[in-house]
Amino acid sequence: MKLLHLLPVGEVDASLLEDLRAAIPRRLHVSCEILPIALDPAPAYHAERQQYHSSEILGRMQTLVHPHAWRLLAVADVDLYIPILKYVFGEAQMGGPCAVISSYRLRQEFYGLDQDDALLGQRLLKESVHELGHTLDLRHCQDYRCAMASSHAVEWIDLRESTLCEACRSQAESKAAMVGKRG
């Protein structure tokens, strides 16, 4: 079975990582392990924006990709951005081994609302499946319910499912079969 490594970035609540470790295999049919190390987000911090550049985190993850792992998913609790956007919930290498997500803007408290751990867990799972879909070279889907639907606001994440639509699932399976034939 394919192995997904979860990599904490800085201080991440262990229960969030454990919940993802248990939930992701039910969606993507992979085994999942939490790495015993953490990546320091400080080198990706940009004081002028008071945010962390997600592409820089992805770049630093490269050396941590285990040769026997299917993918490496970093989980952070810092505010992420890329230069052309005010913020991102996550980022992935299209067709590559690494993706990063953050719980920072997925928390209800960020919007001045009461803490909701169940909703946070759902959002993290949806973002995980979404970013891992990008590592499979999947683009954004027009079906708003698909995990691969674009989301520029947290409310759009809430509309999505944590699974791929039939078209995206078929595309991911055919790409996985092609990789299997080459390997």
Side-chain angles (χ1 to χ4, degrees):
M1 181 176 268
K2 298 173 189 168
L3 175 62
L4 170 66
H5 279 150
L6 296 178
L7 172 68
V9 177
E11 297 291 322
V12 178
D13 185 337
S15 66
L16 293 178
L17 292 168
E18 282 298 330
D19 289 348
L20 283 175
R21 186 195 59 72
I24 291 172
R26 293 191 298 263
R27 299 298 185 272
L28 296 177
H29 309 293
V30 297
S31 61
C32 196
E33 293 178 2
I34 301 167
L35 292 176
I37 59 170
L39 185 69
D40 180 9
Y45 183 72
H46 289 256
E48 71 280 3
R49 289 184 65 138
Q50 298 181 346
Q51 292 175 299
Y52 296 78
H53 194 302
S54 57
S55 302
E56 292 177 16
I57 292 172
L58 282 174
R60 292 181 49 234
M61 291 170 61
Q62 293 303 302
T63 60
L64 302 173
V65 175
H66 191 278
H68 299 295
W70 172 68
R71 295 288 186 271
L72 177 60
L73 175 64
V75 181
D77 191 21
V78 296
D79 198 13
L80 299 177
Y81 82 98
I82 59 174
I84 62 170
L85 296 174
K86 290 183 179 183
Y87 65 89
V88 292
F89 300 115
E91 184 183 359
Q93 297 171 322
M94 289 297 286
C98 298
V100 59
I101 61 168
S102 175
S103 61
Y104 189 83
R105 288 179 183 259
L106 300 179
R107 296 178 180 280
Q108 287 288 80
E109 306 92 296
F110 180 82
Y111 305 97
L113 301 170
D114 291 338
Q115 181 175 334
D116 187 334
D117 293 336
L119 183 57
L120 174 61
Q122 292 170 12
R123 290 172 175 171
L124 279 169
L125 177 60
K126 291 173 184 183
E127 273 306 296
S128 296
V129 173
H130 180 88
E131 296 304 340
L132 289 168
H134 284 316
T135 70
L136 297 172
D137 224 9
L138 295 178
R139 308 278 185 228
H140 286 147
C141 182
Q142 296 302 311
D143 181 346
Y144 74 92
R145 296 164 300 181
C146 178
M148 291 310 300
S150 179
S151 58
H152 302 289
V154 74
E155 295 85 1
W156 295 8
I157 295 170
D158 293 340
L159 292 174
R160 291 192 313 212
E161 303 284 329
S162 59
T163 56
L164 301 175
C165 70
E166 189 59 41
C168 288
R169 184 175 23 258
S170 176
Q171 189 177 356
E173 289 170 359
S174 72
K175 288 182 188 228
M178 294 288 287
V179 170
K181 288 179 183 174
R182 282 189 233 133

